[in-house]
Amino acid sequence: MTEAQQLPIGVFDSGVGGLSVLRALRAALPHERFVYLADSAHAPYGERGDAYVGARTHAITRYLLEQHHIKALVVACNTATAAAIHEVRASHLDLPLVGLEPAIKPALAVTRTGRVGVIGTRGTLTSAKFGKLLGSLAEQAQFVVQPCDGLAHAIERSVARPAPVLGAPVGATETGALCERYLQAMGDFGTAPGQIDTLVLGCTHYIFVAHELRALVGPHVQFIETGEPVARQTRRLLETAGLLATPDGAPATDVSRTRLLTTGPVAMLQAAAERWLGLPADCCETVSVP
Ligand code: DGL
């Protein structure tokens, strides 16, 4: 394996949400090394505006390149992708770069009722990038678009609390109450004509409240998220660039391949890494990215 192939892939999000993408990346690319950065000191991005999110995205890209010599970058955040991916691409032409956007095109292949719900941050769903995507598909389905202010932040906060008691009402938790409020505002969910039968999770945090969303929409609504397609796209880019890591003898499950960094409190990242990825606390550390 060449030196370049051995370098890590950088992955970042405003917080712990991008761990859902990291989970898919680790499963699809078992020989790769990863450096994940949660910008939790500056989360949430969703309600902060493009200038702020763009500046954070540039600072983090520079930090991951300079301090960790990443060979590729996955922007595991819909909001940062919408605000800044074009600029990052333009200023780092040689860097294989993967961004995320709400998977409304794949949802078209799934919906039977022709009503597709899309939830995400205000930043993502009011962006020009998303507006263009939506406009290009608007004739093929009815999209019910719902910004979920505060939900990503509530998911960050929920990590430090014990998992909700089985059988408790959804609205009993802060995250559950927000899910309930936003889904109710979207109309009826189900598979009957006129109901929303497909829900696009347009923020990487939201998969971590999938059980609450499921309890609210019922068993037959399809959830569409982006982890696996993003992992496939990352593999394609690495192959094309000749940067895909090859087996090095270490077991594919070796946790030392993954480093988790946060600009916020390390305990929150540790709890999320353990709960959602089964990774030990010593993978995690706090760093400063001014
Ligand atoms: N997880 C992020 C996304 O996919 C952003 C959440 C936030 O910081 O508001 O958009």
Side-chain angles (χ1 to χ4, degrees):
M1 191 157 41
T2 65
E3 246 174 70
Q5 283 172 303
Q6 291 173 44
L7 295 172
I9 299 169
V11 183
F12 95 91
D13 180 37
S14 62
V16 296
L19 290 175
S20 60
V21 178
L22 181 64
R23 185 163 62 186
L25 287 165
R26 291 181 78 234
L29 297 162
H31 307 298
E32 297 293 343
R33 296 169 55 219
F34 294 98
V35 180
Y36 179 89
L37 187 107
D39 196 18
S40 292
H42 304 92
Y45 283 178
E47 293 115 60
R48 293 217 198 236
D50 284 1
Y52 185 90
V53 176
R56 290 308 301 157
T57 304
H58 283 296
I60 290 166
T61 305
R62 262 198 316 274
Y63 165 82
L64 289 171
L65 280 165
E66 286 168 11
Q67 304 296 320
H68 298 278
H69 311 291
I70 56 167
K71 64 178 178 184
L73 177 65
V74 178
V75 180
C77 176
N78 294 265
T79 313
T81 301
I85 195 120
H86 289 106
E87 292 165 23
V88 174
R89 213 181 283 288
S91 38
H92 303 280
L93 291 175
D94 294 334
L95 180 70
L97 184 62
V98 181
L100 261 74
E101 63 187 3
I104 61 174
K105 204 168 174 187
L108 290 177
V110 170
T111 180
R112 295 281 166 269
T113 63
R115 268 178 88 75
V116 174
V118 188
I119 52 175
T121 68
R122 185 164 296 277
T124 300
L125 300 182
T126 60
S127 68
K129 195 168 185 298
F130 180 72
K132 205 167 148 201
L133 177 68
L134 194 65
S136 71
L137 303 173
E139 283 173 12
Q140 299 180 50
Q142 287 179 308
F143 292 98
V144 181
V145 176
Q146 178 64 51
C148 299
D149 292 347
L151 182 54
H153 198 36
I155 293 169
E156 295 268 315
R157 281 196 297 267
S158 74
V159 174
R161 301 189 196 118
V165 183
L166 226 63
V170 174
T173 60
E174 185 190 16
T175 51
L178 286 170
C179 291
E180 197 167 55
R181 159 142 57 103
Y182 292 126
L183 293 187
Q184 266 170 12
M186 296 172 79
D188 282 350
F189 285 85
T191 52
Q195 292 184 323
I196 299 169
D197 68 349
T198 307
L199 182 63
V200 177
L201 309 187
C203 168
T204 52
H205 281 72
Y206 297 171
I207 191 74
F208 295 127
V209 287
H211 55 286
E212 284 154 318
L213 296 170
R214 174 63 64 209
L216 292 162
V217 300
H220 303 301
V221 171
Q222 301 268 358
F223 292 166
I224 312 278
E225 54 102 24
T226 18
E228 284 174 23
V230 162
R232 282 198 296 275
Q233 167 71 353
T234 307
R235 167 180 278 276
R236 272 195 295 273
L237 283 187
L238 291 174
E239 269 166 357
T240 308
L243 288 171
L244 195 68
T246 52
D248 59 3
T253 49
D254 190 351
V255 293
S256 69
R257 290 178 202 279
T258 303
R259 286 180 71 185
L260 303 177
L261 314 175
T262 177
T263 57
V266 75
M268 184 162 78
L269 183 61
Q270 286 171 331
E274 198 181 357
R275 187 185 294 185
W276 294 328
L277 274 77
L279 287 171
D282 60 6
C283 291
C284 306
E285 63 192 281
T286 296
V287 294
S288 155
V289 183

